């Protein structure tokens, strides 16, 4: 049984009803509707912590989805799963693909920056100062891009950029 037919909470049921209404109202082709159904099921599974099921649904959605913007969100959600499971290389790969398809996706840019910053912290603790600085520089570049798109977000990142001297400007908008 598809996940959308077994939703047990109010939020999931409401989202499913609204999504179905929107899909019926919008003039989309059958393939796009099917891709969205898999995406929706993937989001539901991800919300329930069923990551393997979510990835299967996202993979299927990617085979059907042709719109680059929609594909970017599928890839982004897949990146979230891989990052949460500790596979940062795969997460960065998926976030990068999402950014390539949708360069104005600040949340993907931020997540890549967070990963690089974390890797910098690990390298610093291990005494690899040069490697840490390289990771911090990468984090800074991604955060600057994210902040340019969403200047009211990522305040901690903005402060970090300023305090570490990695900010070329005082205001990002």
């Amino acid at each position: 049984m598809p996940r959308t037919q077994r939703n047990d909470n109010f939020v999931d049921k409401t989202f499913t009803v609204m999504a179905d209404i929107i899909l019926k109202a919008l003039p989309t082709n059958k393939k796009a509707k099917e891709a969205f159904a898999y995406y929706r099921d993937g989001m539901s599974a991800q919300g329930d912590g069923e990551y393997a099921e979510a990835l299967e649904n996202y993979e299927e959605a990617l085979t059907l989805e042709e719109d680059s913007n929609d594909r970017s969100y599928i890839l982004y959600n897949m990146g979230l799963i891989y990052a949460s499971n500790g596979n940062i290389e795969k997460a960065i790969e998926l976030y990068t693909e999402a950014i390539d398809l949708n360069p104005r996706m600040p949340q993907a840019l931020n997540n890549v920056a967070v990963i690089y910053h974390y890797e910098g912290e690990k390298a610093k603790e291990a005494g690899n100062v040069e490697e840490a600085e390289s990771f911090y520089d990468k984090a800074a570049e991604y955060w600057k891009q994210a902040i340019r798109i969403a200047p009211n977000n990522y305040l901690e990142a903005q402060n970090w950029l300023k305090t570490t001297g990695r900010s070329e400007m005082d205001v990002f908008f």
Side-chain angles (χ1 to χ4, degrees):
M1 151 184 346
R3 177 170 276 280
T4 54
Q5 293 178 0
R6 58 182 164 128
N7 290 332
D8 10 351
N9 69 49
F10 177 75
V11 174
D12 282 345
K13 286 179 183 178
T14 304
F15 177 76
T16 300
V17 169
M18 294 300 294
D20 287 341
I21 291 169
I22 291 169
L23 277 178
K24 288 176 184 169
L26 291 176
T28 57
N29 64 38
K30 184 179 181 204
K31 196 174 178 182
K33 288 180 183 182
E34 192 176 350
F36 181 75
Y38 279 108
Y39 176 67
R40 182 181 61 205
D41 285 352
M43 287 178 50
S44 178
Q46 186 174 358
D48 291 343
E50 300 291 338
Y51 299 133
E53 181 183 345
L55 287 172
E56 287 175 14
N57 281 295
Y58 290 146
E59 289 288 347
E60 192 61 36
L62 280 176
T63 66
L64 298 166
E65 185 58 65
E66 296 172 353
D67 182 79
S68 61
N69 193 54
D70 291 343
R71 289 178 64 82
S72 72
Y73 282 95
I74 296 167
L75 293 163
Y76 171 78
N77 282 326
M78 292 173 73
L80 289 173
I81 292 171
Y82 282 101
S84 71
N85 289 331
N87 189 341
I88 60 169
E89 293 83 16
K90 184 68 174 177
I92 288 175
E93 175 188 323
L94 291 163
Y95 290 142
T96 302
E97 285 183 58
I99 294 164
D100 289 344
L101 293 172
N102 182 1
R104 298 200 47 83
M105 184 181 257
Q107 62 271 41
L109 293 161
N110 175 65
N111 288 5
V112 173
V114 167
I115 291 170
Y116 282 137
H117 185 268
Y118 175 73
E119 290 299 304
E121 291 292 304
K122 286 188 346 187
K124 183 178 175 182
E125 286 177 19
N128 301 327
V129 177
E130 194 172 302
E131 182 181 14
E133 287 300 313
S134 175
F135 280 124
Y136 290 149
D137 288 343
K138 288 179 183 180
E141 289 309 309
Y142 279 93
W143 267 324
K144 286 187 251 183
Q145 291 177 58
I147 293 164
R148 280 188 190 99
I149 296 167
N152 294 324
N153 296 347
Y154 316 116
L155 297 177
E156 286 183 43
Q158 291 184 43
N159 288 333
W160 179 81
L161 289 167
K162 289 176 188 173
T163 60
T164 62
R166 287 180 167 85
S167 172
E168 293 104 28
M169 56 187 110
D170 289 331
V171 181
F172 284 96
F173 52 89

